[in-house]
Amino acid sequence: MSVRNDLLKKTKAVAPGLSGVLSSEKLLILDHETVTEAATACSPSVPITIIDNDGDEAISLANGTIVGQTKIFISSTNNTVTLTPATTAGSYSTIATTNIGETYGLMWTADGWAVIMRASGDTQADNAVDDLPVLA
């Protein structure tokens, strides 16, 4: 078993629900999943999802279980991939990425998944605001 996997196993035994480890190098290593297929249900208990779908597709996210639970999505594809959370905190119902590097973060609240950040991955010269993940 690798050192990382051993640390993750020990951490989960001590703190159930924690999906990351603090390494001896003082780095926080978060667990992740990669989605590649349409209609994938992303895990609310895995903190990071890498979006790598091969076409314009839809994915979903179930409700969280603990207020403060954080979920980060990072696009690794130039296809449009639209996330539909089960419950949202706000007036949005979907979030779509269309470019590599687009990123957004959600936090589970008593009202649903709240958007806490969006980033485009573009340079300042490219007007980064126009390429943010789209809330609809």
mmCIF file of all heavy atoms in Angstrom, residues 34-76:
data_model
loop_
_atom_site.group_PDB
_atom_site.id
_atom_site.type_symbol
_atom_site.label_atom_id
_atom_site.label_comp_id
_atom_site.label_asym_id
_atom_site.label_seq_id
_atom_site.Cartn_x
_atom_site.Cartn_y
_atom_site.Cartn_z
ATOM 1 N N THR A 34 -12.597 11.281 -11.370
ATOM 2 C CA THR A 34 -12.619 11.799 -12.738
ATOM 3 C C THR A 34 -13.879 11.281 -13.411
ATOM 4 O O THR A 34 -14.149 10.078 -13.379
ATOM 5 C CB THR A 34 -11.376 11.343 -13.527
ATOM 6 O OG1 THR A 34 -10.210 11.829 -12.855
ATOM 7 C CG2 THR A 34 -11.400 11.890 -14.945
ATOM 8 N N VAL A 35 -14.668 12.204 -13.986
ATOM 9 C CA VAL A 35 -15.876 11.794 -14.704
ATOM 10 C C VAL A 35 -15.618 11.910 -16.201
ATOM 11 O O VAL A 35 -15.031 12.876 -16.666
ATOM 12 C CB VAL A 35 -17.122 12.602 -14.286
ATOM 13 C CG1 VAL A 35 -17.445 12.366 -12.831
ATOM 14 C CG2 VAL A 35 -16.960 14.072 -14.544
ATOM 15 N N THR A 36 -16.051 10.887 -16.947
ATOM 16 C CA THR A 36 -15.817 10.855 -18.393
ATOM 17 C C THR A 36 -17.067 10.504 -19.185
ATOM 18 O O THR A 36 -17.034 10.562 -20.403
ATOM 19 C CB THR A 36 -14.725 9.812 -18.733
ATOM 20 O OG1 THR A 36 -15.155 8.529 -18.267
ATOM 21 C CG2 THR A 36 -13.393 10.164 -18.092
ATOM 22 N N GLU A 37 -18.134 10.145 -18.520
ATOM 23 C CA GLU A 37 -19.340 9.669 -19.208
ATOM 24 C C GLU A 37 -20.540 10.564 -18.937
ATOM 25 O O GLU A 37 -20.663 11.149 -17.865
ATOM 26 C CB GLU A 37 -19.676 8.251 -18.746
ATOM 27 C CG GLU A 37 -18.584 7.234 -19.000
ATOM 28 C CD GLU A 37 -18.302 7.008 -20.476
ATOM 29 O OE1 GLU A 37 -19.254 7.063 -21.281
ATOM 30 O OE2 GLU A 37 -17.134 6.790 -20.824
ATOM 31 N N ALA A 38 -21.450 10.624 -19.894
ATOM 32 C CA ALA A 38 -22.698 11.363 -19.727
ATOM 33 C C ALA A 38 -23.515 10.737 -18.602
ATOM 34 O O ALA A 38 -23.425 9.537 -18.349
ATOM 35 C CB ALA A 38 -23.507 11.338 -21.022
ATOM 36 N N ALA A 39 -24.288 11.551 -17.929
ATOM 37 C CA ALA A 39 -25.207 11.130 -16.864
ATOM 38 C C ALA A 39 -24.490 10.577 -15.631
ATOM 39 O O ALA A 39 -25.102 9.884 -14.832
ATOM 40 C CB ALA A 39 -26.230 10.127 -17.391
ATOM 41 N N THR A 40 -23.208 10.895 -15.476
ATOM 42 C CA THR A 40 -22.483 10.447 -14.288
ATOM 43 C C THR A 40 -23.005 11.189 -13.063
ATOM 44 O O THR A 40 -23.203 12.401 -13.092
ATOM 45 C CB THR A 40 -20.967 10.721 -14.437
ATOM 46 O OG1 THR A 40 -20.465 9.954 -15.523
ATOM 47 C CG2 THR A 40 -20.213 10.359 -13.172
ATOM 48 N N ALA A 41 -23.221 10.459 -11.980
ATOM 49 C CA ALA A 41 -23.584 11.065 -10.701
ATOM 50 C C ALA A 41 -22.280 11.277 -9.927
ATOM 51 O O ALA A 41 -21.644 10.313 -9.502
ATOM 52 C CB ALA A 41 -24.524 10.148 -9.934
ATOM 53 N N CYS A 42 -21.869 12.533 -9.791
ATOM 54 C CA CYS A 42 -20.638 12.855 -9.070
ATOM 55 C C CYS A 42 -20.853 12.616 -7.580
ATOM 56 O O CYS A 42 -21.937 12.859 -7.053
ATOM 57 C CB CYS A 42 -20.255 14.311 -9.315
ATOM 58 S SG CYS A 42 -19.993 14.679 -11.054
ATOM 59 N N SER A 43 -19.837 12.154 -6.896
ATOM 60 C CA SER A 43 -19.953 11.853 -5.479
ATOM 61 C C SER A 43 -19.847 13.123 -4.640
ATOM 62 O O SER A 43 -18.861 13.846 -4.739
ATOM 63 C CB SER A 43 -18.847 10.892 -5.047
ATOM 64 O OG SER A 43 -18.864 10.734 -3.646
ATOM 65 N N PRO A 44 -20.831 13.383 -3.792
ATOM 66 C CA PRO A 44 -20.738 14.551 -2.917
ATOM 67 C C PRO A 44 -19.690 14.369 -1.817
ATOM 68 O O PRO A 44 -19.261 15.330 -1.205
ATOM 69 C CB PRO A 44 -22.143 14.684 -2.325
ATOM 70 C CG PRO A 44 -22.767 13.358 -2.482
ATOM 71 C CD PRO A 44 -22.105 12.691 -3.656
ATOM 72 N N SER A 45 -19.247 13.142 -1.577
ATOM 73 C CA SER A 45 -18.282 12.889 -0.512
ATOM 74 C C SER A 45 -16.830 12.897 -0.985
ATOM 75 O O SER A 45 -15.917 12.761 -0.182
ATOM 76 C CB SER A 45 -18.592 11.569 0.185
ATOM 77 O OG SER A 45 -18.496 10.501 -0.722
ATOM 78 N N VAL A 46 -16.605 13.049 -2.293
ATOM 79 C CA VAL A 46 -15.249 13.178 -2.830
ATOM 80 C C VAL A 46 -15.043 14.657 -3.144
ATOM 81 O O VAL A 46 -15.783 15.217 -3.954
ATOM 82 C CB VAL A 46 -15.062 12.308 -4.104
ATOM 83 C CG1 VAL A 46 -13.689 12.507 -4.699
ATOM 84 C CG2 VAL A 46 -15.308 10.842 -3.785
ATOM 85 N N PRO A 47 -14.066 15.330 -2.517
ATOM 86 C CA PRO A 47 -13.972 16.786 -2.609
ATOM 87 C C PRO A 47 -13.676 17.368 -3.997
ATOM 88 O O PRO A 47 -14.073 18.483 -4.282
ATOM 89 C CB PRO A 47 -12.848 17.164 -1.647
ATOM 90 C CG PRO A 47 -12.440 15.943 -0.951
ATOM 91 C CD PRO A 47 -13.096 14.766 -1.601
ATOM 92 N N ILE A 48 -12.979 16.626 -4.856
ATOM 93 C CA ILE A 48 -12.595 17.181 -6.158
ATOM 94 C C ILE A 48 -13.085 16.267 -7.275
ATOM 95 O O ILE A 48 -12.895 15.052 -7.230
ATOM 96 C CB ILE A 48 -11.067 17.350 -6.267
ATOM 97 C CG1 ILE A 48 -10.582 18.343 -5.210
ATOM 98 C CG2 ILE A 48 -10.654 17.797 -7.667
ATOM 99 C CD1 ILE A 48 -9.090 18.485 -5.129
ATOM 100 N N THR A 49 -13.717 16.879 -8.286
ATOM 101 C CA THR A 49 -14.124 16.150 -9.483
ATOM 102 C C THR A 49 -13.427 16.764 -10.685
ATOM 103 O O THR A 49 -13.536 17.962 -10.928
ATOM 104 C CB THR A 49 -15.654 16.212 -9.690
ATOM 105 O OG1 THR A 49 -16.287 15.570 -8.584
ATOM 106 C CG2 THR A 49 -16.059 15.520 -10.983
ATOM 107 N N ILE A 50 -12.686 15.939 -11.430
ATOM 108 C CA ILE A 50 -12.063 16.342 -12.687
ATOM 109 C C ILE A 50 -13.060 15.984 -13.787
ATOM 110 O O ILE A 50 -13.459 14.829 -13.925
ATOM 111 C CB ILE A 50 -10.728 15.605 -12.937
ATOM 112 C CG1 ILE A 50 -9.783 15.727 -11.737
ATOM 113 C CG2 ILE A 50 -10.084 16.090 -14.237
ATOM 114 C CD1 ILE A 50 -9.340 17.109 -11.397
ATOM 115 N N ILE A 51 -13.474 16.990 -14.557
ATOM 116 C CA ILE A 51 -14.439 16.787 -15.648
ATOM 117 C C ILE A 51 -13.649 16.528 -16.925
ATOM 118 O O ILE A 51 -12.921 17.401 -17.386
ATOM 119 C CB ILE A 51 -15.337 18.025 -15.823
ATOM 120 C CG1 ILE A 51 -16.101 18.333 -14.531
ATOM 121 C CG2 ILE A 51 -16.280 17.837 -17.005
ATOM 122 C CD1 ILE A 51 -16.782 19.692 -14.537
ATOM 123 N N ASP A 52 -13.763 15.320 -17.490
ATOM 124 C CA ASP A 52 -13.006 14.963 -18.688
ATOM 125 C C ASP A 52 -13.898 14.241 -19.693
ATOM 126 O O ASP A 52 -13.504 13.250 -20.297
ATOM 127 C CB ASP A 52 -11.802 14.096 -18.302
ATOM 128 C CG ASP A 52 -10.756 14.043 -19.402
ATOM 129 O OD1 ASP A 52 -10.790 14.900 -20.306
ATOM 130 O OD2 ASP A 52 -9.914 13.122 -19.370
ATOM 131 N N ASN A 53 -15.116 14.740 -19.870
ATOM 132 C CA ASN A 53 -16.063 14.128 -20.800
ATOM 133 C C ASN A 53 -15.616 14.341 -22.242
ATOM 134 O O ASN A 53 -15.004 15.350 -22.571
ATOM 135 C CB ASN A 53 -17.456 14.704 -20.577
ATOM 136 C CG ASN A 53 -18.015 14.329 -19.219
ATOM 137 O OD1 ASN A 53 -17.369 14.551 -18.200
ATOM 138 N ND2 ASN A 53 -19.205 13.765 -19.188
ATOM 139 N N ASP A 54 -15.979 13.401 -23.121
ATOM 140 C CA ASP A 54 -15.544 13.469 -24.516
ATOM 141 C C ASP A 54 -16.593 14.070 -25.448
ATOM 142 O O ASP A 54 -16.473 13.978 -26.660
ATOM 143 C CB ASP A 54 -15.125 12.084 -25.008
ATOM 144 C CG ASP A 54 -16.258 11.076 -24.932
ATOM 145 O OD1 ASP A 54 -17.376 11.444 -24.508
ATOM 146 O OD2 ASP A 54 -16.025 9.914 -25.307
ATOM 147 N N GLY A 55 -17.622 14.691 -24.897
ATOM 148 C CA GLY A 55 -18.651 15.327 -25.711
ATOM 149 C C GLY A 55 -19.451 16.287 -24.860
ATOM 150 O O GLY A 55 -19.202 16.431 -23.664
ATOM 151 N N ASP A 56 -20.413 16.962 -25.478
ATOM 152 C CA ASP A 56 -21.304 17.863 -24.741
ATOM 153 C C ASP A 56 -22.281 16.996 -23.959
ATOM 154 O O ASP A 56 -23.140 16.339 -24.553
ATOM 155 C CB ASP A 56 -22.047 18.793 -25.705
ATOM 156 C CG ASP A 56 -21.096 19.758 -26.402
ATOM 157 O OD1 ASP A 56 -19.921 19.854 -25.993
ATOM 158 O OD2 ASP A 56 -21.528 20.423 -27.355
ATOM 159 N N GLU A 57 -22.120 16.977 -22.630
ATOM 160 C CA GLU A 57 -22.861 16.026 -21.811
ATOM 161 C C GLU A 57 -23.317 16.657 -20.502
ATOM 162 O O GLU A 57 -22.916 17.764 -20.153
ATOM 163 C CB GLU A 57 -21.980 14.802 -21.530
ATOM 164 C CG GLU A 57 -21.586 14.092 -22.810
ATOM 165 C CD GLU A 57 -20.559 12.984 -22.635
ATOM 166 O OE1 GLU A 57 -19.830 12.956 -21.633
ATOM 167 O OE2 GLU A 57 -20.498 12.144 -23.532
ATOM 168 N N ALA A 58 -24.138 15.926 -19.765
ATOM 169 C CA ALA A 58 -24.659 16.379 -18.476
ATOM 170 C C ALA A 58 -24.197 15.442 -17.368
ATOM 171 O O ALA A 58 -24.071 14.231 -17.572
ATOM 172 C CB ALA A 58 -26.182 16.423 -18.517
ATOM 173 N N ILE A 59 -23.931 16.030 -16.185
ATOM 174 C CA ILE A 59 -23.586 15.268 -15.000
ATOM 175 C C ILE A 59 -24.447 15.780 -13.842
ATOM 176 O O ILE A 59 -25.087 16.830 -13.966
ATOM 177 C CB ILE A 59 -22.079 15.365 -14.652
ATOM 178 C CG1 ILE A 59 -21.644 16.833 -14.470
ATOM 179 C CG2 ILE A 59 -21.253 14.687 -15.740
ATOM 180 C CD1 ILE A 59 -20.177 17.010 -14.078
ATOM 181 N N SER A 60 -24.482 15.050 -12.734
ATOM 182 C CA SER A 60 -25.331 15.455 -11.614
ATOM 183 C C SER A 60 -24.558 15.369 -10.299
ATOM 184 O O SER A 60 -23.500 14.751 -10.218
ATOM 185 C CB SER A 60 -26.584 14.578 -11.555
ATOM 186 O OG SER A 60 -26.216 13.232 -11.308
ATOM 187 N N LEU A 61 -25.141 15.997 -9.266
ATOM 188 C CA LEU A 61 -24.551 15.971 -7.928
ATOM 189 C C LEU A 61 -25.678 15.832 -6.908
ATOM 190 O O LEU A 61 -26.595 16.663 -6.877
ATOM 191 C CB LEU A 61 -23.757 17.252 -7.660
ATOM 192 C CG LEU A 61 -23.127 17.392 -6.277
ATOM 193 C CD1 LEU A 61 -22.085 16.289 -6.034
ATOM 194 C CD2 LEU A 61 -22.493 18.771 -6.121
ATOM 195 N N ALA A 62 -25.612 14.786 -6.087
ATOM 196 C CA ALA A 62 -26.617 14.568 -5.035
ATOM 197 C C ALA A 62 -26.426 15.590 -3.923
ATOM 198 O O ALA A 62 -25.408 16.291 -3.856
ATOM 199 C CB ALA A 62 -26.475 13.151 -4.481
ATOM 200 N N ASN A 63 -27.387 15.671 -3.026
ATOM 201 C CA ASN A 63 -27.278 16.557 -1.879
ATOM 202 C C ASN A 63 -26.105 16.151 -0.999
ATOM 203 O O ASN A 63 -25.768 14.963 -0.908
ATOM 204 C CB ASN A 63 -28.563 16.512 -1.050
ATOM 205 C CG ASN A 63 -29.705 17.200 -1.758
ATOM 206 O OD1 ASN A 63 -29.522 18.030 -2.633
ATOM 207 N ND2 ASN A 63 -30.920 16.843 -1.374
ATOM 208 N N GLY A 64 -25.522 17.154 -0.321
ATOM 209 C CA GLY A 64 -24.474 16.884 0.641
ATOM 210 C C GLY A 64 -25.081 16.322 1.921
ATOM 211 O O GLY A 64 -26.298 16.200 2.054
ATOM 212 N N THR A 65 -24.218 15.992 2.871
ATOM 213 C CA THR A 65 -24.688 15.419 4.124
ATOM 214 C C THR A 65 -24.297 16.247 5.343
ATOM 215 O O THR A 65 -24.893 16.093 6.403
ATOM 216 C CB THR A 65 -24.145 13.988 4.312
ATOM 217 O OG1 THR A 65 -22.717 14.028 4.230
ATOM 218 C CG2 THR A 65 -24.697 13.065 3.248
ATOM 219 N N ILE A 66 -23.287 17.118 5.194
ATOM 220 C CA ILE A 66 -22.788 17.908 6.311
ATOM 221 C C ILE A 66 -22.650 19.354 5.865
ATOM 222 O O ILE A 66 -22.013 19.632 4.840
ATOM 223 C CB ILE A 66 -21.413 17.394 6.779
ATOM 224 C CG1 ILE A 66 -21.488 15.927 7.192
ATOM 225 C CG2 ILE A 66 -20.862 18.239 7.923
ATOM 226 C CD1 ILE A 66 -20.142 15.272 7.386
ATOM 227 N N VAL A 67 -23.247 20.294 6.609
ATOM 228 C CA VAL A 67 -23.096 21.711 6.281
ATOM 229 C C VAL A 67 -21.606 22.050 6.312
ATOM 230 O O VAL A 67 -20.893 21.674 7.241
ATOM 231 C CB VAL A 67 -23.890 22.604 7.264
ATOM 232 C CG1 VAL A 67 -23.549 24.064 7.067
ATOM 233 C CG2 VAL A 67 -25.393 22.376 7.083
ATOM 234 N N GLY A 68 -21.136 22.706 5.257
ATOM 235 C CA GLY A 68 -19.720 23.039 5.127
ATOM 236 C C GLY A 68 -18.976 22.102 4.192
ATOM 237 O O GLY A 68 -17.827 22.362 3.828
ATOM 238 N N GLN A 69 -19.616 21.020 3.779
ATOM 239 C CA GLN A 69 -19.007 20.088 2.830
ATOM 240 C C GLN A 69 -18.668 20.859 1.560
ATOM 241 O O GLN A 69 -19.495 21.618 1.053
ATOM 242 C CB GLN A 69 -20.014 18.979 2.552
ATOM 243 C CG GLN A 69 -19.528 17.794 1.809
ATOM 244 C CD GLN A 69 -20.607 16.700 1.786
ATOM 245 O OE1 GLN A 69 -21.652 16.793 2.433
ATOM 246 N NE2 GLN A 69 -20.346 15.677 1.023
ATOM 247 N N THR A 70 -17.459 20.687 1.041
ATOM 248 C CA THR A 70 -16.993 21.454 -0.110
ATOM 249 C C THR A 70 -16.737 20.536 -1.295
ATOM 250 O O THR A 70 -16.210 19.432 -1.146
ATOM 251 C CB THR A 70 -15.698 22.209 0.245
ATOM 252 O OG1 THR A 70 -15.950 23.020 1.391
ATOM 253 C CG2 THR A 70 -15.246 23.094 -0.895
ATOM 254 N N LYS A 71 -17.102 21.011 -2.477
ATOM 255 C CA LYS A 71 -16.936 20.252 -3.713
ATOM 256 C C LYS A 71 -16.330 21.174 -4.756
ATOM 257 O O LYS A 71 -16.843 22.270 -4.998
ATOM 258 C CB LYS A 71 -18.314 19.744 -4.170
ATOM 259 C CG LYS A 71 -18.283 18.841 -5.360
ATOM 260 C CD LYS A 71 -17.819 17.447 -5.000
ATOM 261 C CE LYS A 71 -17.848 16.560 -6.244
ATOM 262 N NZ LYS A 71 -17.191 15.310 -6.055
ATOM 263 N N ILE A 72 -15.222 20.769 -5.383
ATOM 264 C CA ILE A 72 -14.553 21.563 -6.410
ATOM 265 C C ILE A 72 -14.584 20.780 -7.723
ATOM 266 O O ILE A 72 -14.259 19.591 -7.751
ATOM 267 C CB ILE A 72 -13.095 21.872 -6.015
ATOM 268 C CG1 ILE A 72 -13.066 22.681 -4.714
ATOM 269 C CG2 ILE A 72 -12.357 22.604 -7.137
ATOM 270 C CD1 ILE A 72 -11.688 22.812 -4.101
ATOM 271 N N PHE A 73 -14.969 21.468 -8.806
ATOM 272 C CA PHE A 73 -14.998 20.874 -10.149
ATOM 273 C C PHE A 73 -13.967 21.570 -11.017
ATOM 274 O O PHE A 73 -13.911 22.804 -11.043
ATOM 275 C CB PHE A 73 -16.390 21.033 -10.781
ATOM 276 C CG PHE A 73 -17.448 20.203 -10.123
ATOM 277 C CD1 PHE A 73 -18.098 20.652 -8.982
ATOM 278 C CD2 PHE A 73 -17.790 18.960 -10.625
ATOM 279 C CE1 PHE A 73 -19.067 19.886 -8.360
ATOM 280 C CE2 PHE A 73 -18.766 18.183 -10.010
ATOM 281 C CZ PHE A 73 -19.409 18.649 -8.877
ATOM 282 N N ILE A 74 -13.157 20.784 -11.741
ATOM 283 C CA ILE A 74 -12.118 21.321 -12.624
ATOM 284 C C ILE A 74 -12.308 20.703 -14.001
ATOM 285 O O ILE A 74 -12.303 19.474 -14.142
ATOM 286 C CB ILE A 74 -10.711 20.988 -12.091
ATOM 287 C CG1 ILE A 74 -10.544 21.526 -10.667
ATOM 288 C CG2 ILE A 74 -9.635 21.543 -13.025
ATOM 289 C CD1 ILE A 74 -9.338 20.982 -9.931
ATOM 290 N N SER A 75 -12.461 21.557 -15.012
ATOM 291 C CA SER A 75 -12.667 21.059 -16.375
ATOM 292 C C SER A 75 -11.336 20.706 -17.032
ATOM 293 O O SER A 75 -10.388 21.490 -17.024
ATOM 294 C CB SER A 75 -13.386 22.108 -17.221
ATOM 295 O OG SER A 75 -13.509 21.632 -18.553
ATOM 296 N N SER A 76 -11.298 19.514 -17.626
ATOM 297 C CA SER A 76 -10.138 19.063 -18.375
ATOM 298 C C SER A 76 -10.550 18.754 -19.814
ATOM 299 O O SER A 76 -9.963 17.908 -20.480
ATOM 300 C CB SER A 76 -9.556 17.816 -17.691
ATOM 301 O OG SER A 76 -8.386 17.392 -18.333
#
